[in-house]
Amino acid sequence: MPDPVNQGHAEPTATTSRGEKLAWLLFLATSLHLALMQPTLNIIPGERAKVFSGLWCALILLIVLVSQRPRSVNWKSPPVLISLTLFILVLVSSLRSPEKASSLARAFVIISAGLGGYWSARLLLRTPERQRCFLWFSLGLLVIILLLCSAGIWTTGSVFHFLDEHYHPVGSRLILFSFVPLALVLSPVRLQMGLGIALLGVGYLILLLTGKNLGMGSALVIPPALGLLAACFRPWTGRQLGIILFLLFLVSATAGHLLRPIMAEKNKYHESVAYRLENVRFSWHLAREHPWFGIGLWASREGYLRDYEIKYPYLTKEDFSAWTRKLKTSENNFLTFMADLGLPFILLYSGVVLVILGRLTGRALQAPAGAVFPPLALLLPLVGEILHLQVFDGLFHPQVSWFFHILLGLAAPYTGSSAPPPRDSKAFAARFLLFGVVIAGGAALGMMLSR
């Protein structure tokens, strides 16, 4: 999956074999299937894991690897070894699970979508020509997604009616596919910039129209947060920075004043909020009891509640047990991986993702010219989806995991200099901390005034 090491430069040109052409067409077909989740087929009766989609991902992974001959994959390279290690950890965890069939089904979907998306991007999107093709292909997918979201809202009031089974995967699509308009906004062509801005606006409007639902409400705050992150990369004059800080303080103080009583009431009575917060402790409780390989994907957690005490106020053990029996996850992807797959898996996976994001941040500070996918256009959707994964087990869903790992695959090859300019990195860190302090101070003041 993620690649924490320098793997060399992107190829300007490449000889395309018949097998690689087939792999390319199947890669596009798989992306189309997962973007729209059509067609769908329940292969294993009673099993909720999307095994049919997992088969698509596994097939393209196999064909991509085979099509690389004679330009073979270096099986001793760190990214390959890391991928194999993650695969082995997931497999062993699932085989040790008390519910092997369900665990193995989910393990297959998670591994095939993650490795398939990552290695397809690494091996098929190596040339600027292929990247441009994928950019415009993804633009078409995004337009279709936006149209289906709008049709769902217009006809049924449900944004996911024509796309999926729930709000969360649709929110993740909108976040991940923002790499398309961001790449257009960051291009030097004015027409493309205008199109990118329009697509970002339509996407956020859809989030606003459905933000009253919990499934999209959590995603609603992510685009403004990403906008602030993007602002940290740009140098501002003293006057511009003063205006930004004043507006940030005003908005955060107003938000703190308005949201405090609402949040207090919801924390008392909304079980989904309480369930997620309590699962921070409960997931660690599970990881301590089974640190190496976890309890197994989708394994029942009720038996572990016998010696566990609920700490979150306004939440009874009976209610928490009912939600645990129904969901079987932590509703936070990283906590779920920690509890279900063990500490070695989550530490390795999270570590290499952070390394990729760190290097991508350095490349964004250098602002390389001529990139089909500017580093910032990859960084912002990845950070946004990681934020969304704090309330949603998105990597269990192949339609989310596939595109998340495609972006990681595009971000992983390190082709810049060894480090960003020190002055730029220090200025970025200073702006980031300054924005955070102002927002925290404004929110605290607003909450104090609301008492």
Side-chain angles (χ1 to χ4, degrees), residues 1-316:
M1 287 182 189
D3 173 12
V5 297
N6 185 348
Q7 290 300 307
H9 298 274
E11 299 178 13
T13 59
T15 303
T16 304
S17 65
R18 184 175 300 176
E20 191 164 352
K21 288 180 181 178
L22 174 62
W24 173 248
L25 292 175
L26 287 176
F27 169 70
L28 297 180
T30 303
S31 297
L32 174 64
H33 161 66
L34 292 171
L36 307 180
M37 285 309 291
Q38 293 295 332
T40 57
L41 181 65
N42 186 10
I43 295 180
I44 304 177
E47 178 56 61
R48 290 174 55 189
K50 296 177 175 63
V51 177
F52 179 68
S53 297
L55 288 172
W56 280 68
C57 300
L59 176 64
I60 184 61
L61 174 62
L62 178 62
I63 293 177
V64 165
L65 294 177
V66 172
S67 70
Q68 294 305 302
R69 297 179 179 179
R71 187 178 56 212
S72 61
V73 176
N74 180 6
W75 296 99
K76 294 182 180 180
S77 64
V80 172
L81 294 177
I82 290 171
S83 298
L84 290 174
T85 301
L86 293 173
F87 169 77
I88 292 171
L89 289 172
V90 173
L91 181 62
V92 172
S93 172
S94 300
L95 290 174
R96 289 166 53 91
S97 170
E99 300 175 34
K100 288 184 177 60
S102 187
S103 293
L104 286 170
R106 278 161 176 76
F108 172 72
V109 174
I110 288 172
I111 287 296
S112 60
L115 292 179
Y118 175 79
W119 282 106
S120 294
R122 286 296 309 273
L123 299 176
L124 294 180
L125 299 177
R126 291 193 281 197
T127 66
E129 293 77 15
R130 283 276 178 83
Q131 291 179 3
R132 289 191 195 96
C133 181
F134 183 66
L135 175 64
W136 294 110
F137 177 77
S138 299
L139 173 62
L141 293 181
L142 175 59
V143 170
I144 295 173
I145 290 171
L146 294 175
L147 289 174
L148 291 177
C149 288
S150 302
I153 295 171
W154 179 265
T155 58
T156 67
S158 172
V159 70
F160 63 87
H161 182 76
F162 295 111
L163 269 175
D164 222 302
E165 301 172 349
H166 199 269
Y167 293 95
H168 278 309
V170 177
S172 284
R173 281 190 191 79
L174 294 177
I175 292 169
L176 289 169
F177 270 90
S178 66
F179 81 91
V180 177
L182 286 170
L184 297 178
V185 169
L186 295 171
S187 75
V189 182
R190 288 190 177 183
L191 183 60
Q192 293 184 12
M193 293 173 62
L195 176 60
I197 292 171
L199 289 172
L200 288 174
V202 172
Y204 193 59
L205 178 61
I206 289 174
L207 290 178
L208 287 172
L209 291 174
T210 56
K212 63 181 180 180
N213 301 288
L214 285 176
M216 295 296 256
S218 56
L220 191 61
V221 299
I222 292 176
L226 297 181
L228 284 176
L229 178 60
C232 294
F233 285 89
R234 177 178 173 179
W236 303 93
T237 65
R239 182 177 179 181
Q240 291 172 334
L241 186 59
I243 293 173
I244 292 174
L245 294 177
F246 172 76
L247 292 175
L248 278 180
F249 185 82
L250 183 63
V251 171
S252 58
T254 303
H257 180 74
L258 295 176
L259 293 179
R260 184 180 183 278
I262 299 174
M263 292 173 61
E265 289 300 314
K266 285 191 173 183
N267 283 344
K268 285 183 180 180
Y269 301 113
H270 207 291
E271 291 178 336
S272 65
V273 176
Y275 178 80
R276 286 177 168 87
L277 292 174
E278 184 61 36
N279 253 297
V280 175
R281 292 184 64 257
F282 185 52
S283 300
W284 177 241
H285 172 76
L286 296 175
R288 284 190 302 174
E289 292 198 7
H290 296 273
W292 292 106
F293 300 105
I295 64 172
L297 291 166
W298 209 250
S300 175
R301 298 183 170 194
E302 284 188 278
Y304 299 97
L305 287 172
R306 297 190 189 97
D307 59 344
Y308 179 77
E309 293 185 8
I310 303 294
K311 296 294 184 180
Y312 186 76
Y314 318 115
L315 178 66
T316 65

